[in-house]
Amino acid sequence: MVPNSMDRISNLPQPILHHILSFLSQKEAIQTCVLSKSWRYIGSTRPNVEFIQYYFNGIEQKFMSVVNKTLQGYHDQKLCIQEFRVKMLELDSKSISLLEKWIPMVMLNKGLKTFDLSFFHSRTSVYFDLPSVVFEAESLLNLNLDRCKLNRNPIDKVLFKHLQTLCLREIYITEETLEKILSSCPLIENFSVFGCEGLRTIKVNKLRNLNYFAFDHIYGLYKNNDISIEIDAPTIKTIRIVTCPNWLHHHIHFPHLSCLFLDTVRLSSKSFDFFSCNLPSLEKFTVVNCYGFEEFHLSSRSIKHLSLLGIWEPIKATIDAPNILVFTYEAYISTSICFAITSREWKSDITLSNSADSDYNAASWFHKLSELLKSLSQSVISLKLTQGSRIFRQIEDPPDIKPLVIEHLSLAGNYSSSSFKAFLNCLFRVCRPRNISQCWYLDAHNGWKREEDKIIEFFVEILLIKRYRRGLRHYMIWLQDLEEVSMDENGQEWHPGEGIKFRFRLKWREFS
Amino acid sequence: MVTTDEKGPLTAKKKSVIIRSCDGDEFLVSESAAVLSTSLKKILEEKEDRLIHLSDIDNKTLAMVIAYLSTHADDGLSDDLKRSFDQEFVSGKEFDVLKYLVLATDTLQVTCLCYTVAKKMADIMKNKLVEWVRREFDIQNDYTPEAEAEIRRLDAWAWDDRQLEDD
C-alpha cells in the first residue's frame, strides 16, 4: 500500500515527475528525496544531471566525489542521462583529468541530448582537448563548449546528425575543423561563437535550417582581431554580431531575417543600401557603436524598431521607414537625421550625452538639438539628457527658435544649480516638455546626492512656489507660457521604477 | 502531412474533427489545430473516423488544451503573441489544474504545452523548503526521523546552504 497516494502530486507518473524536476537545480532535485518514501529515488534518477562546482564551497574533493558517485550510480543502474551540464570553477590540470574521466562515462548514454561544459573563470591560456568520443554522440541536440581545443587533425568522425544548437565559447579551432563540424550538422538552428582562436573567417553557408546566429569576438582577448564573417543562410531570422570588422554580405538575400543586432561592426554607406534592399522582413534593427560611415540612407517598409546607439561622430541619416513604431537614438552629439513621412503613431527615445569639451559651443549644441527634434516632430518624443549643465554657464544669447512640444524630458547627470537656470532658459527655447523627470545614475554615496536634492528644491521653488514672482518671470521668460504645474512622487499613484523620484507635469500655453 | 484525403487538398484544409471528453462533452476542432497533438495526428492518419473519444481527459482540461491548440494553429498570430498567450495560459492556474493539464498534454503529446506546464509546476516548487512542499501538496512524511536524517547525511552536499550569487 502506498500511504500517500492521495496527495496532490506524488501520484503523477514518474516520467512526468522527472520532467517537472528537470527544471530544478540538481540540489533541489536531490532535496525532494526526503519528501516521503515514494519520492526517495525520483529526484536522484531524473534524466538530467547538472553539477556546479561553486556550490561546493571550493572543496574540490567533495565536488569530485559527488560527481563520481552520481555518474557511477546512473551507470550501475543503467539510468539514462539525457542532459549533462557541468560548470567548473576553472580549467587547470586537475579539472582536465576529471573531465577526461567523466566525459567517456557520460558518452556511454546512447540517448544523450545535451552536453554543456563551462567554467566560471576563463581567460587562461589553457584549453581542454575535447575527447573525440564527444563527436560521435549521434543523439546530441545541444552542444555547448567552453575553452575547448578542437584542432584534432583530422577529427575522425563527426556524427552530429541531429544537432540543433551549437555554442562555442572561447575555443581554439581551425577553419578546417569548423567547416568539417558544420558540414556534418545539417539540422543546426542556433549557432553561436563567442571568442575564438585560430579562425580568420567564419563561413556559415551550409546550414539550411539556421534560425539564429551570434558572434562576439570579445576584443582584447584574442590577437587575430581582423576576423571576417560570411553568412549565407536563407532561413535565418536573427543575426547578432559583436566586434567584427568584416561582415561579408555581398549580394546575399536574407528573406526571413527579422532581427539584426550589430555592435562595433565596421559598416559603410553601402552596408545600409544592402540592408535596404536585401532584408525584406527586417523588423528590429539595432546598430551600436558601429563605425566607418558618415552618412547613410535606410529604406525599409518592414522596420518597426530601429535603434541607433553609440554615435560618436556626426552622421547624416536619411530614413524612410513608414511602419516604424519606436526609434531609439543614443549619441554623444546631436546629429542630422531626416525621416520620411510616416502615417501611424510612433515614438522616439532620444538620449544625448556629451562630456564638456573645452571648445564646446553651447549655442550650436542647442541649435543642433533643435534640428534633431524638428526632424522627429512626427513622433512622440522622449528626450533624455545626461551631460549635465556645467558647460552652459557661458551662454548669453539663447537661440531664437520656436520651441517644439515634446512628451517627456528626463534629466540625468550632474546639473549644478548655479548653471541650471541658464540651461533651462536655453532648453525651453528649444522644446517644451509635457513631463519632466529626473533619473540619477548614482546613489547617495558618491556625492551627487546633494546636487540632486538642490535640483529638486530648485524645481519646486521655480515651478510651484515662486513662479508668479515678477522678478523671476522676467528672468525666466518661459514661465509666462506655463499655465499649470503638478508634481508626482514615485510610489504614490505613479510607479516609474527605481531611480526616478519625481515627475513634474507641465501644461503650456498654446502658442502659434 | 495529411495527404491521403480522397476529396483532394482543397477540402482537406478546412476539415474539422469532433473530440469527446471522458465526461461526454464534445468539441469541434479544426484539423489543423488537432494535428498539433502528435497523438491526435496519429489517430487521424490511421482511421477515417472524425470522432475521437478521449477516455481519460475531462471536459474542463480538454477545453483548455483545445484553446491552446486553436491559438497555435492560427496563422494570423505572430510568434510573439503566441508566446505571451502561453505565459498567460499557465499564470495564476491552481496546481491541481496544472496537474490535469500536464497529464493531458502528456497523453496527447502536445510537447510545447507539456513543457510550459511542467516548468510552471517546477517554478511553484523552486526555492521552497521541503516542509513547504510537503504542506502545500499534502505529502505525508512517512520516514522516521532517523531515516530522514540518514538520507540527508548521504547527500549532505545538497543541504549546504550556499547560494549562487550570480548566474
Side-chain angles (χ1 to χ4, degrees):
Chain A
M1 193 188 93
V2 187
N4 53 358
S5 61
M6 291 311 286
D7 75 45
R8 294 174 61 204
I9 182 168
S10 309
N11 56 354
L12 283 169
Q14 178 159 312
I16 291 184
L17 288 175
H18 273 160
H19 191 184
I20 296 170
L21 295 183
S22 73
F23 296 99
L24 300 179
S25 67
Q26 187 77 16
K27 195 170 154 171
E28 285 176 307
I30 293 296
Q31 287 183 359
T32 63
C33 293
V34 304
L35 285 172
S36 73
K37 284 181 183 165
S38 65
W39 284 83
R40 176 65 186 93
Y41 296 108
I42 295 176
S44 58
T45 57
R46 60 175 194 165
N48 55 320
V49 289
E50 165 211 88
F51 300 102
I52 298 174
Q53 193 173 4
Y54 186 88
Y55 283 140
F56 292 84
N57 295 319
I59 307 171
E60 199 171 333
Q61 201 59 37
K62 199 158 81 177
F63 174 68
M64 200 179 84
S65 80
V66 167
V67 182
N68 279 339
K69 195 178 114 190
T70 309
L71 290 181
Q72 197 61 51
Y74 273 80
H75 182 69
D76 293 346
Q77 297 173 65
K78 299 196 166 52
L79 294 168
C80 175
I81 299 179
Q82 288 179 1
E83 289 182 24
F84 176 76
R85 294 177 204 277
V86 60
K87 185 158 187 168
M88 302 177 87
L89 286 178
E90 54 197 319
L91 184 59
D92 53 21
S93 53
K94 262 222 173 109
S95 52
I96 287 175
S97 71
L98 291 174
L99 287 170
E100 278 171 349
K101 185 176 166 210
W102 294 337
I103 289 175
M105 286 176 82
V106 173
M107 290 301 157
L108 290 174
N109 283 275
K110 289 303 158 210
L112 189 72
K113 288 181 181 160
T114 299
F115 180 88
D116 183 342
L117 167 65
S118 57
F119 301 93
F120 273 99
H121 308 293
S122 53
R123 304 196 173 223
T124 57
S125 54
V126 187
Y127 286 97
F128 172 56
D129 205 347
L130 194 72
S132 60
V133 63
V134 173
F135 293 94
E136 292 164 27
E138 219 172 308
S139 54
L140 267 190
L141 299 179
N142 309 298
L143 179 62
N144 198 337
L145 297 173
D146 188 6
R147 298 228 48 96
C148 289
K149 196 171 193 176
L150 303 176
N151 69 334
R152 278 170 187 282
N153 205 10
I155 292 183
D156 317 325
K157 278 184 280 180
V158 182
L159 298 176
F160 296 150
K161 268 186 241 166
H162 307 288
L163 198 69
Q164 291 173 354
T165 303
L166 176 63
C167 177
L168 306 174
R169 190 176 290 276
E170 297 183 35
I171 47 136
Y172 188 98
I173 189 167
T174 60
E175 276 168 37
E176 295 74 41
T177 311
L178 181 64
E179 205 175 322
K180 170 142 192 189
I181 293 175
L182 292 183
S183 62
S184 332
C185 309
L187 297 182
I188 284 187
E189 290 173 14
N190 298 306
F191 177 40
S192 316
V193 180
F194 299 114
C196 51
E197 210 162 329
L199 289 176
R200 286 189 66 81
T201 307
I202 298 181
K203 281 186 196 163
V204 186
N205 51 15
K206 294 205 175 76
L207 303 175
R208 294 293 127 188
N209 288 291
L210 194 66
N211 190 321
Y212 177 93
F213 172 77
F215 174 85
D216 187 340
H217 195 37
I218 319 176
Y219 257 153
L221 202 56
Y222 299 97
K223 286 177 199 134
N224 56 334
N225 280 341
D226 197 23
I227 196 153
S228 303
I229 293 179
E230 276 180 57
I231 311 166
D232 184 2
T235 52
I236 200 158
K237 286 187 178 160
T238 302
I239 296 179
R240 285 180 65 91
I241 299 179
V242 183
T243 51
C244 169
N246 306 304
W247 175 21
L248 311 171
H249 48 56
H250 330 283
H251 311 302
I252 296 168
H253 194 63
F254 294 95
H256 301 293
L257 189 71
S258 68
C259 179
L260 176 61
F261 179 95
L262 302 173
D263 182 347
T264 324
V265 175
R266 180 161 55 214
L267 299 175
S268 66
S269 304
K270 280 191 179 154
S271 311
F272 288 89
D273 296 342
F274 164 80
F275 301 144
S276 301
C277 297
N278 291 288
L279 313 178
S281 306
L282 188 63
E283 288 191 5
K284 205 171 172 184
F285 184 27
T286 306
V287 175
V288 192
N289 292 325
C290 290
Y291 56 97
F293 57 94
E294 283 168 1
E295 60 181 291
F296 69 81
H297 176 84
L298 182 66
S299 169
S300 164
R301 295 197 65 79
S302 55
I303 282 184
K304 291 183 178 152
H305 298 263
L306 174 65
S307 303
L308 295 177
L309 312 175
I311 307 286
W312 292 81
E313 302 289 333
I315 54 161
K316 192 165 174 283
T318 322
I319 298 164
D320 181 6
N323 293 309
I324 195 157
L325 295 175
V326 181
F327 172 62
T328 312
Y329 180 78
E330 249 182 74
Y332 297 87
I333 28 164
S334 112
T335 178
S336 160
I337 290 180
C338 174
F339 262 89
I341 302 291
T342 49
S343 51
R344 57 163 114 178
E345 190 173 284
W346 55 290
K347 290 200 303 188
S348 49
D349 289 328
I350 311 299
T351 304
L352 295 177
S353 48
N354 202 331
S355 56
D357 292 335
S358 54
D359 59 343
Y360 206 76
N361 181 336
S364 130
W365 187 88
F366 276 111
H367 188 74
K368 281 184 189 156
L369 174 66
S370 171
E371 292 293 307
L372 177 70
L373 295 178
K374 252 192 251 165
S375 67
L376 299 169
S377 60
Q378 297 179 78
S379 65
V380 176
I381 300 175
S382 293
L383 173 66
K384 183 171 175 179
L385 299 175
T386 64
Q387 76 271 52
S389 62
R390 288 204 173 125
I391 54 166
F392 298 100
R393 207 167 300 162
Q394 67 281 52
I395 306 174
E396 283 154 15
D397 262 337
D400 191 20
I401 311 165
K402 189 183 145 203
L404 187 84
V405 175
I406 65 169
E407 187 58 30
H408 196 101
L409 171 69
S410 164
L411 299 171
N414 194 353
Y415 291 89
S416 77
S417 48
S418 58
S419 58
F420 196 59
K421 285 174 198 159
F423 171 72
L424 282 189
N425 272 344
C426 290
L427 189 63
F428 288 164
R429 287 273 184 138
V430 171
C431 62
R432 297 282 165 94
R434 290 201 181 97
N435 296 285
I436 302 179
S437 67
Q438 125 282 29
C439 169
W440 305 94
Y441 290 129
L442 303 175
D443 56 20
H445 298 294
N446 45 38
W448 286 16
K449 180 72 166 58
R450 279 179 54 206
E451 293 286 356
E452 173 190 337
D453 285 345
K454 271 190 213 158
I455 298 299
I456 297 177
E457 275 167 31
F458 175 80
F459 263 117
V460 172
E461 266 179 45
I462 297 289
L463 298 176
L464 293 178
I465 306 167
K466 291 186 184 168
R467 66 190 182 91
Y468 294 111
R469 284 195 186 173
R470 271 176 59 206
L472 204 59
R473 285 181 82 151
H474 176 72
Y475 181 66
M476 296 195 169
I477 209 146
W478 48 270
L479 280 173
Q480 293 170 3
D481 295 332
L482 199 56
E483 288 185 340
E484 252 180 74
V485 181
S486 54
M487 181 179 168
D488 293 326
E489 264 183 90
N490 188 355
Q492 291 170 350
E493 279 173 20
W494 178 59
H495 301 275
E498 262 182 63
I500 301 174
K501 278 191 177 168
F502 71 90
R503 170 178 71 174
F504 288 101
R505 282 180 288 167
L506 314 182
K507 189 162 179 286
W508 298 92
R509 185 174 58 85
E510 296 283 329
F511 44 95
S512 51
Chain B
M1 285 288 182
V2 184
T3 50
T4 51
D5 196 87
E6 289 166 305
K7 289 169 196 162
L10 274 176
T11 47
K13 263 189 185 171
K14 294 243 166 177
K15 273 188 137 176
S16 306
V17 287
I18 295 166
I19 304 178
R20 186 190 288 157
S21 69
C22 66
D23 30 19
D25 285 0
E26 292 184 353
F27 297 85
L28 191 68
V29 185
S30 75
E31 195 169 292
S32 62
V35 296
L36 293 178
S37 147
T38 311
S39 320
L40 293 180
K41 189 179 167 197
K42 270 188 204 146
I43 296 173
L44 289 171
E45 278 168 359
E46 279 164 17
K47 58 177 201 171
E48 285 287 297
D49 202 353
R50 295 281 124 183
L51 176 74
I52 299 172
H53 181 64
L54 300 170
S55 58
D56 47 8
I57 301 178
D58 65 274
N59 57 1
K60 279 186 191 146
T61 309
L62 186 59
M64 284 188 273
V65 176
I66 287 171
Y68 173 90
L69 294 177
S70 305
T71 305
H72 279 256
D74 187 343
D75 294 331
L77 297 176
S78 71
D79 289 352
D80 278 348
L81 275 173
K82 285 178 187 172
R83 263 192 292 276
S84 57
F85 171 85
D86 290 2
Q87 288 315 309
E88 285 285 296
F89 191 82
V90 289
S91 78
K93 283 207 166 48
E94 295 266 326
F95 192 83
D96 293 321
V97 175
L98 295 173
K99 191 169 99 174
Y100 290 116
L101 267 175
V102 82
L103 284 165
T105 52
D106 186 62
T107 310
L108 292 173
Q109 293 174 278
V110 187
T111 324
C112 277
L113 184 57
C114 189
Y115 178 95
T116 312
V117 175
K119 186 168 188 300
K120 178 71 188 177
M121 293 169 91
D123 286 345
I124 294 173
M125 298 169 73
K126 231 180 171 65
N127 301 320
K128 301 293 193 318
L129 295 172
V130 165
E131 290 71 24
W132 186 93
V133 177
R134 280 194 195 124
R135 217 175 30 247
E136 183 68 17
F137 302 121
D138 306 323
I139 299 171
Q140 195 196 326
N141 179 13
D142 49 3
Y143 286 119
T144 61
E146 296 76 31
E148 185 180 333
E150 175 63 11
I151 298 168
R152 286 180 187 247
R153 197 188 58 76
L154 282 173
D155 282 311
W157 70 275
W159 301 92
D160 287 348
D161 48 10
R162 186 170 190 184
Q163 291 296 315
L164 207 57
E165 279 157 12
D166 47 6
D167 199 286

